[in-house]
Structures are given as C-alpha cells and as structure tokens.
Amino acid sequence: MTDSAPTAAVLLIGDEILSGRTRDINLQQIAAYLAPLGIPVLESRTVADVQASIVKAVNDLRAEYTYVFTTGGIGPTHDDITADAIAAAFGVGIGEHPEVIAMLAERYAEMKTEFTPARRRMARVPNGASLVANPVSGAPGFQMENVFTLAGVPQVARAMLEDIGPRLRTGAVVHKVTIRGLGLREGDIAEPLGALAVEMPNVSYGSYPWFRSVGDNGVHLVASTIHAELIDTIVQRLEAIIFATGVTPERITEDAG
C-alpha cells in the first residue's frame, strides 16, 4: 500500500461477468464516486469464482494500492465465496457475525420469510473485519484493512460507498449533502440527475429510494465533493430537480467527513 497520494484498484468477481451474461457497471460507478475525492482508480481486474484466483488478486492489489474495492460473491448461494477468499487472503478465520445475524433475522421476520441456512451465509464475515452498511437490502459488506468488499448488485454496491466514503484518506475534506423528496420516484429524476452528473464531474451523485409504507416512501439524493464552494450550487440544482416533479425537497444533512 502506498503512502503518497491515495490510489485505488477495483476487483470484479464473478463467472457471470467473464461469460458475458452480466455487464459490469460497478467499475464505472466506483471510479466516479472516488474521483471527486481525489482517489484515482489505477487498475481493474476481473476474476472467476475461484478462491485461489481471488486470493492472489486481493493480495497483489492491496500491496500496490491504498484501497481495493471488490464487488460480487457475498450472497447466499454456493458460488458466493468472496468472504472466504478475503479471510484466506488475510490469513484469518471466518464466522457468523452476531450483529448481522440479529439484523437479518429481524429483517426476514418482518418480511415473513424463512431465515434459511443459505440466507445465514450472508452473515459470514472474516474475523476482525468491520461492517459496511447496506441501506438497500440489509446484508452488509465489510472492510479488512484497506480492502472493501461490496455486493455485486450495482444499486447495492453504490449505496455501500456512502458508508465507506468517510473512512477514506483524501487530499481534502469531503463535503456531503443529502436532500430527499417524500413521494419522489427515481424514474422522474433519473434523466436530469444524470445530466447534472455529466455537467459537474467533480461531484459524486447518488440516488437511493426508500419504501416503508404507502405515504412513507421517496428518494434520497446524495452529493459528495471535496470542493466546498460547490455545495450551494449543488443544493440549488438538486432542489430544482425535485421541485420540477411537483415534490417539495427537504435537506437532511451536510457534513464534512
């Protein structure tokens, strides 16, 4: 791991990517999130669901770059072996994390869905790892030293980055603002939000829907940047996008991480 300006690598894990069945967008969105933080992605690799290949790639990359982001292979099926591979790469054991077991048990109970042994696999975390929050589907990712392990589903992977961002070493303070719209739908703001992201490439934008019940649903829009002077403009532009749908925007947070 280098000690100068921070750098990153992305490790994409999965037979489905190499076979062409799944088109990856995680590299693009991880790089887009890190760029405004002054952390360039300098290398990307794609490996199959083979433990030895994952272990080698993780150890190669974590020695070369400040941060490594892996995506894929932390689900409930037999071929989801990333957690075991990360444990092997670091030479540690792996087991069910009590906080994750409790959270998943509660979540599946609320859904009136059986908490099967397969679903319990998503609670297996390498010993000594810290959790990475998953606000979309619940099952967390994790951090082992400079390696962050994310889900393969793009929407989930992107949401996990919000919990990772404050942990990263950057060349400047990271400023973040969150604006939500009660009753807002992602489809109504996707086009103008995408255009804004192209217009302001030094800002990272994320869109995160929630649905708790009828009347308690909407979308959070999150913007992160090291350029504090852009915050007022960002707020105005995001509020304008939400207002244009007939929804009143609400600013939730703005902090420096």
Side-chain angles (χ1 to χ4, degrees), residues 25-55:
I25 66 170
N26 281 322
L27 170 59
Q28 177 185 10
Q29 63 180 8
I30 291 171
Y33 181 84
L34 296 177
L37 309 184
I39 307 174
V41 172
L42 299 185
E43 183 174 349
S44 173
R45 297 189 193 182
T46 304
V47 296
D49 292 309
V50 176
Q51 180 163 315
S53 299
I54 299 170
V55 169

Side-chain angles (χ1 to χ4, degrees), residues 178-186 188-190 192-193 196 206-207 210 218-222 234-252:
T178 302
I179 299 177
R180 76 169 191 168
L182 183 63
L184 187 65
R185 298 176 299 183
E186 274 196 306
D188 295 334
I189 52 89
L193 185 63
L196 182 59
S207 172
W210 87 89
V219 177
H220 287 91
L221 299 181
V222 180
I234 292 168
V235 170
Q236 293 169 9
R237 298 295 295 276
L238 291 179
E239 288 181 342
I241 288 173
I242 296 175
F243 267 126
T245 69
V247 173
T248 300
E250 177 186 0
R251 183 168 176 175
I252 303 300

Side-chain angles (χ1 to χ4, degrees), residues 111-207:
M111 297 167 59
K112 295 182 173 55
T113 301
E114 184 181 359
F115 189 27
T116 62
R119 294 188 174 107
R120 290 180 71 101
R121 281 178 54 83
M122 295 186 291
R124 298 175 70 252
V125 176
N127 296 343
S130 57
L131 301 180
V132 173
N134 171 3
V136 175
S137 57
F142 54 85
Q143 174 187 357
M144 279 293 290
E145 296 183 10
N146 64 328
V147 178
F148 297 92
T149 299
L150 285 64
V153 177
Q155 184 183 18
V156 177
R158 179 59 182 80
M160 287 179 171
L161 291 173
E162 295 299 336
D163 188 38
I164 293 172
R167 312 182 192 188
L168 303 178
R169 175 171 65 87
T170 65
V173 174
V174 179
H175 302 271
K176 183 166 69 175
V177 62
T178 302
I179 299 177
R180 76 169 191 168
L182 183 63
L184 187 65
R185 298 176 299 183
E186 274 196 306
D188 295 334
I189 52 89
E191 185 174 345
L193 185 63
L196 182 59
V198 172
E199 180 184 339
M200 303 180 72
N202 50 1
V203 181
S204 175
Y205 292 99
S207 172

Side-chain angles (χ1 to χ4, degrees), residues 1-4 7 61-67 145-146 169:
M1 182 172 60
T2 60
D3 294 322
S4 55
T7 57
L61 295 172
R62 71 186 179 99
E64 181 72 17
Y65 301 101
T66 315
Y67 302 113
E145 296 183 10
N146 64 328
R169 175 171 65 87

